[in-house]
Amino acid sequence: QVQLVESGGGLVQPGGSLRLSCAVSRNIFSIYNMGWYRQAPGKQRELVAVITSSGNTNYADSVKGRFTISRDNAKNTVALQMNSLKPEDTAVYYCNARGVITGNNYWGQGTQVTVSS
């Protein structure tokens, strides 16, 4: 089993920055792809950023150049640095782990990010 615990959500003004963190119960990065998803009211859950087991990163077009996903192998954490935030970024953000071999998905509880003046 894999447990994911998120933190760092909150209220921020447009143009501001926020850093989300996902604590993973054990070192799984060699066999799991890690990602951040978000879901706004009335919208489908969408992939925001992913870092693969090999360390490659990909981003949704809407956040390219503004968001950065990273991992700390020693601390078993995955971070999402969000800069130049827009009201459209308002959503519940979820940490996700997908097993490369098994394909199983694990999810964090979600953390609310609100961008408003």
Side-chain angles (χ1 to χ4, degrees), residues 12 19 26 63 69 78 84 89-91 116:
V12 65
R19 186 177 181 89
R26 60 184 179 89
V63 307
I69 188 171
V78 181
S84 302
D89 296 318
T90 296
S116 176

Side-chain angles (χ1 to χ4, degrees), residues 38-106:
R38 68 186 182 187
Q39 187 167 24
K43 300 291 186 67
Q44 295 183 355
R45 187 173 299 187
E46 64 173 345
L47 177 66
V48 176
V50 62
I51 182 166
T52 69
S53 60
S54 61
N56 295 321
T57 59
N58 293 99
Y59 300 90
D61 289 341
S62 59
V63 307
K64 284 181 179 177
R66 300 188 298 120
F67 290 11
T68 303
I69 188 171
S70 62
R71 69 189 188 195
D72 188 324
N73 294 336
K75 292 180 168 55
N76 295 340
T77 58
V78 181
L80 183 68
Q81 179 66 45
M82 303 183 292
N83 299 325
S84 302
L85 283 162
K86 306 174 180 179
E88 307 92 86
D89 296 318
T90 296
V92 177
Y93 283 71
Y94 299 90
C95 183
N96 167 260
R98 182 184 292 272
V100 173
I101 296 174
T102 66
N104 292 338
N105 272 312
Y106 298 90

Side-chain angles (χ1 to χ4, degrees), residues 16-53:
S17 297
L18 204 60
R19 186 177 181 89
L20 306 182
S21 182
C22 174
V24 186
S25 59
R26 60 184 179 89
N27 192 327
I28 64 169
F29 299 145
S30 64
I31 56 173
Y32 282 81
N33 295 333
M34 305 298 302
W36 286 95
Y37 289 71
R38 68 186 182 187
Q39 187 167 24
K43 300 291 186 67
Q44 295 183 355
R45 187 173 299 187
E46 64 173 345
L47 177 66
V48 176
V50 62
I51 182 166
T52 69
S53 60

